Structures are given as structure tokens and as C-alpha cells.
Amino acid sequence: MSMNNSPNVFLDPNANRFQVNIINESHDNNETSQEDVGSDPPHYEETSFTDGAHNRLRISYRPGKRELYDNFLQNGEKTEASLHPYDTHNKMYYLQTFGHNTVDPVPKIDYYRNTGSVSGNKLSRPSLLEIHEQLAKNIAVSPGSVERVANGESTAGDETAVSKEEENKSGFVKFGWVKGVLVRCMLNIWGVMLFIRLSWIVGQAGIGLGVIIILLATMVTSITGLSTSAIATNGFVRGGLGIIVIGLSVVVTTLTGISMSAICTNGVVRGGGAYYLISRSLGPEFGGSIGLIFAFANAVAVAMYVVGFAETVVEILKESDTLMVDESNDIRIIGTITVVCLLGISVAGMEWEAKAQVILLIVLLVAIANFFIGTVIPTNNEKKARGFFNYEASIFAENFGPDFRSGEGFFSVFAIFFPAATGILAGANISGDLKDPQSAIPKGTMLAILVTTIAYIGVAICVASCVVRDATGSINDTVVPGMSCNGSSACSLGYDFSRCASQPCDYGLMNNFQVMSMVSGFGPLITAGIFSATLSSALASLVSAPKVFQALCKDNVYKGLHFFAKGYGKNNEPIRGYVLTFVIAMAFILIAELNTIAPIISNFFLASYALINFSCFHASYAKSPGWRPAFRYYNMWVSLFGALLCCGVMFVINWWAALITYAIELFLYIYVTYKKPEVNWGSSTQALYYINALDSALALTTVEDHVKNFRPQCIALTGAPMIRPALLDITHTFTKNNGLCICCEVYTGPRKLCVKEMNSGMAKKQAWLTKNKRKAFYAAVAADSFRDGVKSLLQASGLGRMKPNTLVIGFKKDWRNAAATQVENYVGVIHDAFDFELGMIIVRISQGFDISQVLQVQEELEKLEQERLALEATIKENDFEEGKSGICGFFRKASILNISKHEKKKESTINTIQSMHVGEFNQKLLEASTQFKKKQGKGTIDIWWLFDDGGLTILIPYILTIRKKWKSCKLRIFTGGKVNRIEEEKLVMASLLSKFRIKFADINIICDINIKPNKESWKFFEEMIEPYRLHESCKDITTAEKLKRETPWKITDAELEAFKEKSYRQVRLNELLQEHSRAANLIVLSLPVARKGVVSDYLYMAWLEILSKNLPPVLMVRGNHKNVLTFYS
């Protein structure tokens, strides 16, 4: 096959995407649709179950279509005309594609959306069944019907509704990468640290180490700004190094920014910021734990920033002697007023908040520019006395090296500066309000890191090149002629600050936090910059905390917090979250003790940064095909280094705060893990589970089986697991945490219906097992017969060494009333299990296992109850409307009365059904279905170990006794022996069991197994098999031969005579069981084996019937005659 790629195809404006025959659009819409194709509950059990741009390929474009294509590829959205980039027909689908009729759709983004997607409407493509099955003939096609057939959606009328919905959504305020990410990140990274503490850091660490600290901090961190102003103004940590300090911070931020860019470009990013990125990557356990503390940290950060702002205002009031009350109360008053104003801006909407951020950024940029201008304005004597001499090479050289004082060191200075480098998640935290988060977050974040890093380094170098470390501030401290300078740059510039070595000075890099105000061209602008930095950071945190918290609550990870998930207005604003954040911020402002909480909040942010780095590493390490980030400039090991670096920085900042953070996160992780929220986000944790399981399964195949490691790995023919819960329960009891358990179901009947029913029920039945805490798998097959299906399961189930070795099946209690083919299939399954060398366990309980009739009645009653509740709700609603509507309510009474009558009718219907099914609702059957879930009281498990089958008959009951529900039961052993050797036989059995280390309560040697049963028991057996006997000896040879051909399944006289002794034994064993084990909690009995092709199916079923009749629950067990027990170490 060759494609026509000639230029003419693409240059033709009327050409279609494919070479197709267009179906006429003018015909009538007359298509036809094609549809896919109580008695008492039985006292028996059934065992048949019939019920990225740089990697784009070169593409040839049509004239005028390239812009359309780029827009489509970038946003993944429909264009204005709702066209495919190559299509020229709107709202039209072609059934004739690639030259033949088909409903097979072409690739379309709407098929891949999530349900409820904000960015577009999800469409359902035709199912494989619809495409695979024969298409109905003579389907008349119209534009509306074609759309429906192709997309699995309804008619064109629905498209109108969708377009209207999109129009409504167009009112959303969405931000681009500049206003939404760049501005916010720059404002959060530039804090009051820039104006107040940076000069001190460079003074301590020097220019060289200061730059390194900035670069390292920028490399590690990546999340929304920590309370830079509060940290700087409250001083919760102590000093460090210089330019190296700045450089170290840059390294930290950059690493995390790269990891975040990789994560947020691996698919559509919704609202929730750091929480969304972590939870979708590592799962709800990590996301839920970090999301809560991250939202709380942002809420407290609001208080920290506001207190920093309030302290600056109070300092100004204090200088002018205009305090309102006192310093601490003034901080509370100003802080409260500020938070209320910020809350008003936030509640007004994201658009107003964004405008405020832009204004604050302009003020901040003017303040920074004001500083750089001030460094080149010629200084005066007063500023010289305070240590400012403009740019001097001697000052640069003197300040290049470190000069740590007051016990400070590199890491203590780094701990002070590091929070100033945080804030790069300010844009990611409002990811739900961005036009294109995948493009905006990496672009805006990385550019913000670059710009702010250059600004920090530039300010650090400039201030350290202009201002000396120590200055007295006295204009009289000039150099006396003949004085030796000893290399001091101030001395060489004419000032003597030598007395600062022996007594404290108030000026210079090391002593004055207002150096930037002194150096700047206009001091008040620096104060305005401090105001801008604190208010912008507070505003960003006030927006971030509710947004992150709302996303967390929407996911319902913590069910008690779902109240805060509701949003209001066109932008789905979390008003309730704003109020909660306001309350938390106010509480901490009024407490005004932020010095203690600040280190913990810092570590909360750092824990988030660490997990973002780890998320990137983990997703790469899991090697999931779904990990395809458009951002390619990342490395999994660099991300892991960034995560470890963040954890290290946590301890550098404050070791006890780091321990508290880890403890809180661990507690929340355990809580979320225990609650197991019902979410599935395709996390990398799931991918790694699969990789580990696959590796373990492959590694297991290289290990030879050993008898010491034998464990029952069972196929249980339960059908749907909820239909025969007792059979599942007893199997689960000896496989839970010990071996493999597969609940299997065989569908027989028309293949198409069976396959459809099987596929639709797989997930539901596996979910039932999970919900009911059954550690088992569900498997189903569709087959022509029950036996063929089980044969397939016996051969194909399992994986590597994790293959079933035991078949568990319920006793077919209705064998006497069932069709001969059903009995043949049932016995054939037992023969097949032995052929495939599997152990066999047949379980019998008196009431049978099948409770499908009970479940059906319960389901009907639940539906009727739901209808009744719905009617009650309707009546209440109408009553409420009546109370509001005056005279209109009078005319509505008639309809209410009708509803009431309808309700009474429904209630009477429910009562009728309840009474009708009271006989069907077999309470004993329901109790029997749960008997193995209950704790077994003190009693015995009687083991009739009559034949050596390798030890499975003794191993199964031993496993039961080590389970919590059965541990009160003692083992009693019954085995055959000779009358004159009873004691010797007991000693032999006791010795064997002791070597196997199996505890027992008693050993009984049964000597009279082979004597004839009493006449009544034998008569009962003969009457039971009478309908299935051929009686050929009473007929002539011709008639007998004819009967044998017509009914080959019947028991012949010759067969009955040949196996008379064995029949006697089964009847006699039942008598002995009635005598010795009728009071046992459970009987485990050696299963008799029928020779294939010799013993007829009905005779074998008669043996099993008489052997286990009128007894407590019985397990008839036969191993595969290979050892499952050993006494060797």
C-alpha cells in the first residue's frame, strides 16, 4: 500500500484528510439502530456457572493551515471552528474512510479526555465489539447519526448543549505564563531578605562563599515562598557564608524546578499545585500527607509575612514616636487590618489578585533599580562615615573572603538565606487558573529562578563592593597623618574604623540591616520595596493555601474535610478555604510567637520540595510507559540528589523541626494508607509495584520447588465469589497470607453473550473480593461446557511458580436431579484434576453453598426501599413548595395526594413482596453461608487419614489450626489398623506426626472399616442408586446391549458387583463418621479415587453422597501423592 504524498494533495484547499468518498449529507435522518443482542432457594450447591514541539515530525501543511495546526498541537483543544487541522468539513464524520465503509473513528483528542474534563467534552469511541461484529445492513446515514455512530455519543442536539456549556466556561479567568507564573514566582523569591539581610550575609560569608550559598539554595528548592520577611525580621535562624551561600541556594532551587518541570509536562495539570503534582505521581498516601501540611504551612506563612510587614510599619511609627498602644499590640492591630484587606482582594477574585501582584512587582522592581542607581551616585561624608564609598576595588578584595563572627559558619548563614530562595511553586499552586499549565509552569518558573538569582548575586556583589564590614558612623573618625592602615580598605580611603575591633559599631555590612536604604538613591523606596515583598508574598500564600486545600478536599482523601471542596463563582473560588486560612493566619498573628513555629513551617515547605524531586526520580525509576514528560532536560539521579539535598537542608535549618516534620508526615501517611481512599491516579508507586512483582515472579521461576516451601495454591470453583461465599471462606482460611487463591467462574452458552457478560463482570467481582478483604484473584473463562472451561483454567491459571496445585470444588448436591451431562462434567473435572496432578478438595455443608436466590431477593427489596425513600423526598419537597406558594399550593394538593396514594401503593407492594418471599428467604442457608467467617468455639477437627496421599490431608487441617478463627480447635486423628496392633499403630502414627511437628489431641485406630454396613444403611444406598442401574442381568442380551448403547452412564450389574466391597466401605465409613465425628466442628476425610473409565459417574457420586451424608462440614481431600510434608531440616 502506498500513500499519495505528492504536494498537490496538500496544496488542494478542498482535499480531505484521507482519500475518501464523502457520504451525501442531504438525506433524511431515518437510520435504524441495532440492539445487542419465586420458588424456594435450593438446598444444594451448584458447581456449574451458567448464570513535545522539538520532536515533531515534519508535516506538509495546506495553505493557511499551519497556524491552526500549531494551536491544536499546543493546546490539545478544538479550534474555533471545531475542525480537525486537516479537515475542511465541520460537524461531519465520514463512514467511508480509507476506501471502505467503517464506523472505525480517526484519532481524536476527545476520546482520551477524562469524564467531566473542563477543557473539553469526553467522547466514547465505538467499542471493539461494535466494530468486530457484523454491521447492520441498510443503515441510512445522516450528519447527526454519523456523529453518534462514530463517536458513541448522542445526536447533534447534544453538541449544541456542549457548545453552550463551553460558552459558560469561557467566563473563567485564565492566566498566561507571565502574569500567572513569572510574576508570582519573582515576587515570592524576592523577599525582605533582599533588602535587610543580604548585606549581612555577604559580610559574614564574603562575596565568594555568598554566591555559592545563593546558587545552592536556588538549586534545591522549588516550592512556594517560605515566609522570607518573617524569617528575616524575626531572625529564627543564625548566620553563614557569602556569594557561595547565594550559589548554594540557586543549586537547590534549580534542581527542584527541573524536577517540577518534568512532572507538570507529563500530562494535563489541574488545580492543587504541589499537592496535585505529588499525589498524581506518588499516590494519595504521599500526596495526602504532604498536601495537608503544605496547605497549613502556606496559611501560617500568611501570618509570618504579615507580621514582617507590620514590624516594618511599627519601626517607622516608633521612629516618629506615634505608636498606638505598644509595639506588640501595634503589630497585632496592623497585622489584623492587613490580613482583612488581603482577604478582600482574594475573595474579589483571581483577576483582582493578579492586578495587585503586578502593581507590587512594579514597586519591587523600582526599589531594586533604586538600589543599583544609588551605588553609582557619588557618596557624601555622612555615608562614608557609615561605610559606603561607592565602587572600590580594595573593598571588593577585602570583602571577597569570609569573616565569620559570633559563632556563625557556612551552614548557619545558608540556613538564614535559604528561605529567601523559595517560592518557585507560587505559579504551580494556582495551576488550575492557568491557560496552559504544562507550558507556563516550566517556562515561568525557570525564568523566575534565572532573573531572581541574577538579582540576588548582583545585589550581593554590588553591596560588597561599596560598603565595608564595619563603620562607626562618626564623620570625625578620619585617618591621622602617619597612621598605619594594616591593609584596611577604609583606612586607605581616609577613615579609621579600627575601634570597631574592640567595641560594637552600628554601621557597616556586619552591623546595619538598613545598608540598602543607605546606599539607595531614595531611601523610602527601599521601605516601599519591603512593603511590596511582604504583601505580595502574603497575598500569594493567602491564595495558594485555599487552592491547594480545596484540591485536597475534592479528592476526598480526608473524608471529614470534604466540606471545604465546594467552590463559588465562575472561577470556582474556595471561599470556605479563604475563611479557614484567614482564621489560621489571624490566630498566629494574635499569638505573635512566630519564632518557634517558623522553623517547622520552613521544614514543611522543604518536605514538599523533597517529595517533588523524589516524585520525578520515582516516576523515571518505575519506567512506566505513561511517563513521557515534554520537558526533557532532567535526570532521575539529579532529582534524587535534589531530594536528598532538601532533606539535608531541613536538618541544617533546624534538626528538631526536621524531626517533627518527619513525624507528622509519617503519621498522616499511615492514616491515609489505613483509610485507603478509593482513588486511582496511575501513580508511579503502582508502576513500581508491578515492576517488583514481575521481577519477583521471574526470579521465582529460577528456584526449584522444595517440599519445605510447599503451600496450598488453590483454584476454587466458586463461580461469582458473592454467590458461594462459604466455599471461598474455607478456601481463603488456609490460603490467606500463605498461598495463592483464584476464584474461578465458567460461562457456558452462546459465546457472544457469555464473553460480553464475562468481560463486564470481571472488574466488579475482583472489586468485591478486595472490598470484603479476600486475598484472592478472580478469573473467568467462556467455554462450550463446564468441564472444558475448568480444563482451561487448570492448565492456564497462574504465573511461573505461582501456579495452582489444588482444586477446591463444592459437592454437587443436586446430582440426582441433574442431567447426565452435568454429572459427567462434574466427575470429569475430578478426573482432569488428577490427570494434571493437582490435589483435590471437595467441600460439603448441609445447606449447600449457592445463595443466589437470597441475594436476588435482597436486591429487589433494596431497590424498592430506594424508590420509597425517593418518593418521601419528593413529598417533602412538595410540602416545602406548598408552604411558600400561597394559593398555588392549594391547587398542588391534588398532585401531592396522588403521590401519597402512590407511596401507599408502593409500601403495600413492598409488604406483599416481603411476605411472598418470606419462605424463600432461607435463614439457615444465609447462616450457613457465613459459618466459616465466625470464630469457631472449642471443639475438634477430625482427620480421617485413611490413605497416604503425600500429606495434604493432614496439612490442610494443621494450617486451619494456626488461624485465629480455628485456633481453639484440636486435631483428632483417625486411621485404619488391625485389632491386634492398636497400640503399635498409635505409636507409629504419633511418631510420624511428632516428626512432622504437628500437634494432636488424640489418635484413634479404626479396626472395623472393612466389615459390612448394617442393613438399613445398605438398603438406603441401594435405593439411592436404583434409578441409575441398568439391570442388564434381568434382560435378554439384545435388550441389554441396546440399553448400554442408549444409556452408557448407567450402573451395570457387573460394575456394582466388581466394586461391591468398595461400596460397602463407603457406607461403613459413614456409619463410623456418624459414631465418632458427628459433634466435630469440621471433618477432613480422605477422598476415594475412582478409576477413570472403570467406575461410572453415578456410582462415584453415590459413594461421595453416602460418605458425607448427614455430617458436619466435610472436606474430602486427596493430594497428588507427592510429598507436601517433610521431617528433614
Side-chain angles (χ1 to χ4, degrees):
M1 175 180 176
S2 63
M3 291 185 66
N4 185 359
N5 288 328
S6 64
N8 294 332
V9 174
F10 295 99
L11 291 174
D12 180 8
N14 297 318
N16 296 313
R17 184 180 182 191
F18 306 110
Q19 297 301 308
V20 301
N21 297 320
I22 304 176
I23 297 209
N24 189 0
E25 298 182 50
S26 61
H27 55 72
D28 295 332
N29 184 5
N30 59 350
E31 81 272 19
T32 58
S33 61
Q34 181 183 16
E35 300 289 341
D36 289 334
V37 252
S39 56
D40 289 339
H43 300 281
Y44 59 89
E45 53 180 315
E46 293 281 357
T47 47
S48 63
F49 316 112
T50 55
D51 290 323
H54 58 285
N55 287 328
R56 293 177 191 164
L57 298 174
R58 292 193 61 187
I59 299 173
S60 299
Y61 304 92
R62 300 181 197 159
K65 294 296 181 182
R66 175 158 191 157
E67 182 182 352
L68 182 67
Y69 181 85
D70 286 338
N71 182 47
F72 183 90
L73 187 59
Q74 179 180 358
N75 300 321
E77 305 296 336
K78 295 180 180 179
T79 57
E80 292 181 0
S82 300
L83 292 175
H84 189 283
Y86 281 127
D87 285 341
T88 57
H89 289 75
N90 185 23
K91 295 186 179 179
M92 174 64 195
Y93 192 89
Y94 305 113
L95 282 187
Q96 291 191 353
T97 305
F98 303 112
H100 63 276
N101 289 338
T102 178
V103 295
D104 217 353
V106 295
K108 193 173 185 179
I109 190 172
D110 296 315
Y111 295 132
Y112 297 90
R113 298 189 190 280
N114 287 334
T115 304
S117 173
V118 175
S119 56
N121 212 41
K122 175 178 173 58
L123 300 182
S124 299
R125 68 177 64 82
S127 68
L128 186 60
L129 183 65
E130 291 170 338
I131 295 173
H132 189 218
E133 295 297 330
Q134 185 177 5
L135 189 66
K137 296 180 181 180
N138 302 322
I139 293 183
V141 184
S142 67
S145 67
V146 172
E147 191 75 22
R148 187 183 68 189
V149 172
N151 298 333
E153 295 294 313
S154 50
T155 56
D158 290 334
E159 294 179 3
T160 306
V162 170
S163 63
K164 288 182 179 178
E165 185 180 349
E166 292 297 324
E167 287 175 11
N168 292 334
K169 289 179 180 179
S170 65
F172 282 15
V173 177
K174 297 289 185 179
F175 301 113
W177 70 274
V178 175
K179 189 182 289 188
V181 182
L182 179 65
V183 170
R184 293 171 187 277
C185 289
M186 289 171 63
L187 282 169
N188 273 263
I189 296 173
W190 280 333
V192 293
M193 185 73 69
L194 178 66
F195 299 104
I196 295 179
R197 284 295 183 90
L198 188 57
S199 57
W200 176 85
I201 288 170
V202 179
Q204 287 276 359
I207 295 173
L209 291 180
V211 169
I212 291 178
I213 286 178
I214 293 175
L215 292 174
L216 182 59
T218 306
M219 183 182 71
V220 173
T221 57
S222 73
I223 308 220
T224 49
L226 186 75
S227 177
T228 309
S229 69
I231 293 168
T233 54
N234 286 290
F236 73 95
V237 283
R238 292 186 299 274
L241 290 150
I243 298 294
I244 292 179
V245 174
I246 301 174
L248 195 60
S249 302
V250 173
V251 172
V252 176
T253 307
T254 305
L255 284 183
T256 316
I258 290 172
S259 299
M260 183 183 66
S261 299
I263 295 171
C264 69
T265 57
N266 190 53
V268 175
V269 178
R270 304 249 174 106
Y275 160 73
Y276 185 89
L277 297 177
I278 295 171
S279 62
R280 269 45 176 188
S281 182
L282 293 178
E285 295 83 6
F286 280 106
S289 58
I290 204 65
L292 198 60
I293 65 174
F294 184 71
F296 177 76
N298 271 287
V300 178
V302 175
M304 296 170 69
Y305 289 123
V306 168
V307 167
F309 168 77
E311 286 185 349
T312 307
V313 175
V314 168
E315 286 295 325
I316 295 173
L317 294 176
K318 187 177 178 183
E319 288 176 6
S320 59
D321 196 21
T322 55
L323 290 175
M324 292 176 282
V325 183
D326 54 56
E327 284 191 38
S328 20
N329 283 314
D330 281 10
I331 290 174
R332 293 187 178 99
I333 293 169
I334 295 169
T336 301
I337 296 171
T338 305
V339 170
V340 171
C341 294
L342 294 177
L343 179 65
I345 295 173
S346 301
V347 172
M350 289 296 296
E351 195 169 3
W352 285 96
E353 187 266 350
K355 291 176 180 177
Q357 293 279 25
V358 171
I359 294 171
L360 292 172
L361 177 63
I362 293 172
V363 173
L364 195 58
L365 291 173
V366 170
I368 295 172
N370 175 52
F371 164 75
F372 285 112
I373 292 171
T375 59
V376 296
I377 295 175
T379 185
N380 54 40
N381 291 334
E382 183 182 355
K383 289 186 176 182
K384 286 182 179 180
R386 296 182 178 184
F388 175 48
F389 295 94
N390 294 115
Y391 291 102
E392 295 289 344
S394 60
I395 297 178
F396 179 87
E398 184 180 70
N399 289 340
F400 191 83
D403 183 16
F404 296 115
R405 303 178 189 177
S406 304
E408 302 294 354
F410 178 83
F411 288 107
S412 60
V413 171
F414 176 76
I416 286 182
F417 175 78
F418 179 76
T422 64
I424 65 170
L425 278 189
N429 282 341
I430 63 161
S431 52
D433 297 293
L434 300 176
K435 291 178 182 176
D436 184 10
Q438 292 175 274
S439 172
I441 293 175
K443 191 189 301 181
T445 303
M446 300 309 291
L447 185 58
I449 292 173
L450 177 63
V451 172
T452 54
T453 301
I454 292 173
Y456 270 122
I457 293 176
V459 170
I461 293 175
C462 288
V463 76
S465 302
C466 298
V467 184
V468 296
R469 280 193 167 102
D470 297 291
T472 60
S474 173
I475 59 175
N476 297 321
D477 289 339
T478 54
V479 174
V480 178
M483 179 180 174
S484 175
C485 291
N486 296 324
S488 169
S489 59
C491 181
S492 63
L493 295 171
Y495 280 83
D496 179 17
F497 299 143
S498 58
R499 65 186 173 96
C500 292
S502 56
Q503 67 183 50
C505 292
D506 295 329
Y507 297 96
L509 294 176
M510 304 290 284
N511 309 304
N512 183 14
F513 289 156
Q514 303 299 326
V515 166
M516 287 191 67
S517 295
M518 176 188 68
V519 173
S520 65
F522 183 60
L525 279 178
I526 298 298
T527 303
I530 294 173
F531 288 169
S532 174
T534 51
L535 292 177
S536 63
S537 298
L539 190 56
S541 295
L542 186 58
V543 170
S544 296
K547 294 279 186 183
V548 173
F549 192 58
Q550 183 187 35
L552 176 67
C553 297
K554 276 184 177 179
D555 290 335
N556 212 18
V557 176
Y558 301 99
K559 295 187 182 300
L561 301 177
H562 193 66
F563 172 80
F564 295 97
K566 183 175 176 59
Y568 297 87
K570 61 183 180 182
N571 255 39
N572 196 34
E573 295 292 345
I575 303 298
R576 296 174 179 178
Y578 283 133
V579 173
L580 180 63
T581 305
F582 172 76
V583 170
I584 294 172
M586 281 298 302
F588 280 94
I589 288 172
L590 295 176
I591 292 171
E593 290 293 335
L594 297 181
N595 286 2
T596 304
I597 196 71
I600 300 176
I601 300 305
S602 301
N603 279 281
F604 279 2
F605 282 112
L606 273 169
S608 305
Y609 310 156
L611 278 180
I612 284 185
N613 279 298
F614 184 73
S615 297
C616 183
F617 162 77
H618 200 267
S620 302
Y621 183 74
K623 299 175 183 176
S624 171
W627 173 247
R628 303 183 302 274
F631 185 84
R632 299 293 182 184
Y633 307 105
Y634 73 96
N635 182 275
M636 59 185 288
W637 301 112
V638 173
S639 296
L640 179 62
F641 173 71
L644 296 175
L645 201 55
C646 287
C647 294
V649 171
M650 290 174 69
F651 284 95
V652 167
I653 290 178
N654 192 297
W655 66 267
W656 59 263
L659 293 178
I660 291 175
T661 303
Y662 286 132
I664 293 173
E665 188 173 344
L666 180 62
F667 170 77
L668 293 173
Y669 178 88
I670 294 172
Y671 174 81
V672 177
T673 304
Y674 174 75
K675 288 296 183 180
K676 293 181 180 177
E678 297 177 358
V679 294
N680 182 10
W681 296 323
S683 65
S684 59
T685 306
Q686 295 173 345
L688 199 60
Y689 284 160
Y690 177 83
I691 293 295
N692 291 339
L694 185 62
D695 290 343
S696 299
L698 289 171
L700 199 60
T701 58
T702 63
V703 180
E704 292 294 329
D705 289 332
H706 194 281
V707 64
K708 286 195 296 184
N709 292 324
F710 176 87
R711 60 195 68 228
Q713 303 195 107
C714 300
I715 280 185
L717 298 182
T718 60
M722 64 283 291
I723 300 299
R724 294 175 181 80
L727 183 60
L728 172 60
D729 289 338
I730 189 63
T731 307
H732 187 255
T733 303
F734 54 79
T735 59
K736 180 183 179 182
N737 298 327
N738 188 56
L740 180 69
C741 180
I742 306 177
C743 299
C744 294
E745 184 171 9
V746 178
Y747 288 88
T748 58
R751 182 174 180 81
K752 180 179 177 181
L753 295 176
C754 288
V755 170
K756 184 177 180 181
E757 184 181 355
M758 180 180 71
N759 291 339
S760 63
M762 293 283 281
K764 176 184 175 183
K765 290 164 185 175
Q766 184 64 57
W768 184 91
L769 290 170
T770 304
K771 181 180 178 181
N772 288 272
K773 299 180 180 178
R774 297 292 178 263
K775 296 186 177 181
F777 299 97
Y778 172 78
V781 293
D784 295 332
S785 69
F786 172 65
R787 183 178 182 182
D788 288 342
V790 175
K791 196 181 296 184
S792 299
L793 288 167
L794 294 177
Q795 295 178 87
S797 295
L799 185 68
R801 294 290 180 191
M802 294 185 294
K803 289 184 71 69
N805 53 32
T806 306
L807 175 64
V808 181
I809 191 170
F811 179 69
K812 189 170 180 61
K813 199 173 180 182
D814 69 332
W815 66 275
R816 281 182 281 182
N817 300 320
T821 53
Q822 292 185 8
V823 177
E824 181 184 359
N825 281 334
Y826 182 84
V827 177
V829 165
I830 300 173
H831 288 309
D832 292 337
F834 291 144
D835 287 343
F836 295 130
E837 295 189 339
L838 268 70
M840 187 74 207
I841 300 176
I842 300 177
V843 187
R844 182 174 184 178
I845 59 177
S846 58
Q847 297 295 323
F849 291 106
D850 193 336
I851 62 167
S852 56
Q853 295 281 350
V854 176
L855 295 178
Q856 186 177 354
V857 172
Q858 288 180 338
E859 187 177 351
E860 289 176 3
L861 293 176
E862 286 174 2
K863 286 181 179 178
L864 290 171
E865 179 65 16
Q866 288 175 359
E867 289 181 14
R868 187 182 67 82
L869 293 174
L871 284 169
E872 286 182 356
T874 303
I875 291 172
K876 287 180 180 178
E877 183 180 347
N878 287 334
D879 286 342
F880 177 74
E881 291 293 331
E882 179 189 3
K884 291 168 56 180
S885 58
I887 193 168
C888 294
F890 175 79
F891 294 102
R892 200 177 287 120
K893 285 185 178 179
S895 60
I896 294 174
L897 290 172
N898 288 334
I899 292 173
S900 301
K901 290 177 182 178
H902 188 56
E903 181 197 29
K904 291 177 182 178
K905 183 178 178 181
K906 280 286 183 182
E907 288 180 348
S908 64
T909 304
I910 293 171
N911 294 332
T912 303
I913 291 177
Q914 287 176 335
S915 60
M916 183 176 65
H917 288 292
V918 71
E920 293 184 65
F921 197 87
N922 192 326
Q923 190 63 29
K924 288 185 178 180
L925 179 60
L926 201 58
E927 290 177 0
S929 69
T930 61
Q931 61 181 309
F932 297 125
K933 290 181 182 177
K934 302 172 184 175
K935 182 175 175 61
Q936 305 294 317
K938 289 186 177 180
T940 63
I941 298 176
D942 288 0
I943 306 170
W944 290 71
W945 196 10
L946 305 177
F947 309 105
D948 195 329
D949 60 349
L952 188 64
T953 306
I954 199 77
L955 179 63
I956 294 295
Y958 164 74
I959 294 174
L960 289 177
T961 58
I962 63 177
R963 302 301 188 191
K964 188 176 181 180
K965 291 184 176 67
W966 292 86
K967 66 180 181 180
S968 299
C969 295
K970 306 296 182 183
L971 297 182
R972 292 199 305 172
I973 313 298
F974 295 83
T975 189
K978 297 179 180 178
V979 177
N980 57 351
R981 287 180 51 82
I982 292 179
E983 293 303 321
E984 290 86 344
E985 298 283 358
K986 278 188 177 182
L987 289 174
V988 170
M989 180 57 69
S991 174
L992 179 61
L993 294 174
S994 297
K995 287 184 178 180
F996 288 149
R997 302 170 302 284
I998 294 177
K999 295 181 180 180
F1000 57 89
D1002 192 17
I1003 295 177
N1004 294 275
I1005 305 299
I1006 307 299
C1007 305
D1008 51 352
I1009 293 177
N1010 290 322
I1011 68 172
K1012 287 185 179 182
N1014 62 48
K1015 292 181 179 179
E1016 290 80 7
S1017 300
W1018 181 249
K1019 184 179 179 182
F1020 177 84
F1021 179 78
E1022 287 185 322
E1023 290 175 352
M1024 181 173 60
I1025 64 174
E1026 180 61 30
Y1028 316 107
R1029 291 188 60 181
L1030 191 64
H1031 289 295
E1032 78 280 3
S1033 58
C1034 303
K1035 300 176 177 65
D1036 58 77
I1037 297 176
T1038 306
T1039 306
E1041 290 298 326
K1042 182 181 178 183
L1043 288 172
K1044 283 182 182 180
R1045 288 194 301 272
E1046 292 176 351
T1047 55
W1049 45 270
K1050 284 199 172 184
I1051 305 169
T1052 64
D1053 293 340
E1055 178 191 2
L1056 191 61
E1057 186 63 31
F1059 294 102
K1060 194 167 189 176
E1061 290 298 324
K1062 199 164 186 177
S1063 299
Y1064 279 157
R1065 187 189 306 147
Q1066 313 310 322
V1067 179
R1068 176 58 184 161
L1069 277 172
N1070 182 261
E1071 293 177 350
L1072 293 170
L1073 287 162
Q1074 297 284 352
E1075 178 184 347
H1076 295 283
S1077 298
R1078 191 165 181 79
N1081 293 52
L1082 181 70
I1083 298 172
V1084 182
L1085 173 67
S1086 291
L1087 174 71
V1089 178
R1091 290 191 178 276
K1092 189 167 58 173
V1094 179
V1095 178
S1096 64
D1097 298 336
Y1098 276 93
L1099 180 59
Y1100 186 60
M1101 290 303 300
W1103 288 352
L1104 299 183
E1105 173 74 32
I1106 197 66
L1107 186 61
S1108 57
K1109 187 174 181 61
N1110 297 327
L1111 290 171
V1114 178
L1115 269 63
M1116 292 177 276
V1117 181
R1118 174 70 68 156
N1120 63 357
H1121 287 243
K1122 294 180 181 178
N1123 288 347
V1124 300
L1125 295 172
T1126 182
F1127 46 79
Y1128 295 106
S1129 60

